[in-house]
Amino acid sequence: MGQVFGCVRVGQSNVGICETFGKFDDVLQPGCHCLPWCLGWQLAGHLSLRVQQLDVRCETKTKDNVFVTVVASIQYRALAEKAADAFYKLSNTKEQIQAYVFDVIRSSVPKLNLDSAFEQKNDIEPDERVKKAMNRINAAARMRLAASEKAEADKILQIKRAEGDAESKYLAGLGIARQRQAIVDGLRDSVLAFSENVPGTSSKDVMDMVLVTQYFDTMKDIGASSKSSAIFIPHGPGAVKDVTAQIREGLLQANATTQRSLGSLMQSP
């Protein structure tokens, strides 16, 4: 009965194109419509108003002559007020949209270098060899950065190690200087105390006694050490006298050398 009386139905999100004797007459909105075929009215077709997507793959090259494939996803839909134009003027909607996208991509991508193109568009697929080359470049750059950081860290460690070594040597020098100063002070006090308590003794006698005491202390330490190797040294009263004389002569020679050096410096212009 609907076909006899010319009743047609237009679905939701669609519009119908009505013609009279083959000429466009009206755009039918969703719902039921009566188109008496006997009066020349007919439904020419339907047009969807839903949003559709078209994926376009376009091969082009960048400014630095690298061939890439750009994938563009186009979303489009027909406007209800332009339904007649969309139905009658567009013969193949997808191919016409694809041709327009090709023109846009091929006119814009060649103006950009590969890196700039990647920054502006994620869906870019360069040649596999280009991908490997880019990965090698990035890996080399990261290795250079890592090597630079490691070198800087090694430099800091060396500086800190040198500073610590210098500080250690400085403190060791202070300790040795204080030790020698304490020995000199002790010897001076011993000489003064001995000279005061024992009349008739000279500084030379006191120094000889101190040297003999140190000699016997050294012998005692060598004998008491379990890790000492065998050492052959002359021992006896004569040997002690020889050691004392050698130490005294060494001190006198050092004193004489010092005085001669000072005299030469004072005489030089």
Side-chain angles (χ1 to χ4, degrees), residues 87-100:
F87 187 82
Y88 289 103
K89 294 183 179 180
L90 299 178
S91 60
N92 193 323
T93 306
K94 292 185 178 180
E95 288 186 1
Q96 290 171 327
I97 293 176
Q98 185 174 358
Y100 176 77

Side-chain angles (χ1 to χ4, degrees), residues 253 255-265:
Q253 290 177 1
N255 188 21
T257 302
T258 303
Q259 290 180 356
R260 287 196 299 271
S261 299
L262 291 175
S264 298
L265 292 174

Side-chain angles (χ1 to χ4, degrees), residues 205-253:
D205 298 333
V206 177
M207 289 300 300
D208 291 341
M209 183 175 295
V210 171
L211 291 175
V212 171
T213 303
Q214 290 183 349
Y215 174 80
F216 282 111
D217 290 341
T218 303
M219 294 292 295
K220 178 181 177 182
D221 293 337
I222 293 174
S225 179
S226 59
K227 298 181 180 180
S228 299
S229 301
I231 300 176
F232 296 94
I233 57 175
H235 181 65
V240 176
K241 182 178 180 181
D242 293 339
V243 172
T244 304
Q246 291 175 7
I247 295 176
R248 185 182 301 107
E249 290 177 0
L251 292 175
L252 291 175
Q253 290 177 1

Side-chain angles (χ1 to χ4, degrees), residues 152-164:
E152 188 66 23
D154 292 340
K155 177 182 176 182
I156 294 175
L157 289 176
Q158 292 179 0
I159 292 175
K160 294 299 182 181
R161 190 180 296 112
E163 291 178 352

Side-chain angles (χ1 to χ4, degrees), residues 12-87:
Q12 186 66 33
S13 300
N14 290 273
V15 292
I17 304 300
C18 176
E19 294 179 348
T20 304
F21 296 108
K23 181 181 179 182
F24 171 73
D25 184 76
D26 193 10
V27 176
L28 303 180
Q29 298 300 321
C32 292
H33 302 271
C34 183
L35 300 177
W37 59 269
C38 59
L39 299 178
W41 290 353
Q42 65 175 355
L43 183 66
H46 293 84
L47 181 66
S48 176
L49 300 180
R50 294 179 180 178
V51 177
Q52 303 181 58
Q53 179 167 317
L54 175 63
D55 293 331
V56 180
R57 298 178 64 89
C58 178
E59 184 179 7
T60 182
K61 71 175 182 177
T62 60
K63 188 177 180 180
D64 44 358
N65 295 324
V66 178
F67 283 91
V68 295
T69 299
V70 181
V71 180
S73 297
I74 310 301
Q75 294 182 342
Y76 66 97
R77 71 180 181 89
L79 301 177
E81 60 272 17
K82 299 289 185 179
D85 293 339
F87 187 82

